[in-house]
Amino acid sequence: MTLEPGHYSYREITTQAASWQGALAAVNRQRTALEALLEANHDRGHLYIGCGSTHYLALFAAPYTQALTGRPCRAAPSSEVYWQTESLLTPGSRPLVVALSRSGETSETIMAVNRLRERGADALTISCYDDTDLSRASSLTVAIPEGREESFAQTRSFAGMLIASQAVAALAAGNAALLADLARLPGLAERLVTRAAPIAERIGQDEAIRRITYLGSGPLYGLASEATVKM
């Protein structure tokens, strides 16, 4: 059977409600352990790390969490954390590392987590898989199997990990209202995708459009960067 180009990606985009729901369920399953880990690191700040798409996710999650919690948060590429540890961190600092990886087998992220664990830092992994080298290197893993994909591009997985990151930030802030708002999202997904589909089709088929630019500041800078990669 010959599939149209983009078949898997299109299916994964249009079925991402399952990933959103899976992300919230995964956080809820680990809620007690997450709250304990966040409390143990309440005065250490968070360091969000990833590669490629998940680095852009880190660029969203760090300022988002900092604004919500007041905790110092920053994002960095996993390779920089491994190779430039001393230029990124002050001597003796042990931030809570939040490692973002669709597969849980991203080599640079595993290396970075191991490097920071050697300093005494705790690590939280957010991924679509749990039985991985990254999960074994971490203190705790939030795994979202509903976000797994067949396509190369991260779409459903990215969205699931994003919502999981928001839910973790809400737990850190003790923000029950935000958790309730996030719980409503999966029920809105189908309507949102259906409403967006004709706009996307019109723009995608318009051969007069030669350039598309995404703009975003603050947490949305990371999402604008990721949208550029996807386009």
Side-chain angles (χ1 to χ4, degrees), residues 149-164:
E149 296 158 326
E150 294 182 79
S151 58
F152 176 77
Q154 295 190 33
T155 55
R156 187 168 63 192
S157 63
F158 185 94
M161 290 186 288
L162 184 150
I163 287 177

Side-chain angles (χ1 to χ4, degrees), residues 33 46 68 70 72 126 140 142 144 222:
H46 299 180
L68 196 64
I126 299 177
L140 184 65
V142 172
I144 312 163

Side-chain angles (χ1 to χ4, degrees), residues 180-201:
D181 284 343
L182 290 171
R184 294 175 57 238
L185 283 178
L188 301 174
E190 183 176 355
R191 187 191 321 163
L192 292 171
V193 171
T194 300
R195 190 173 66 188
I199 302 171
E201 186 174 4

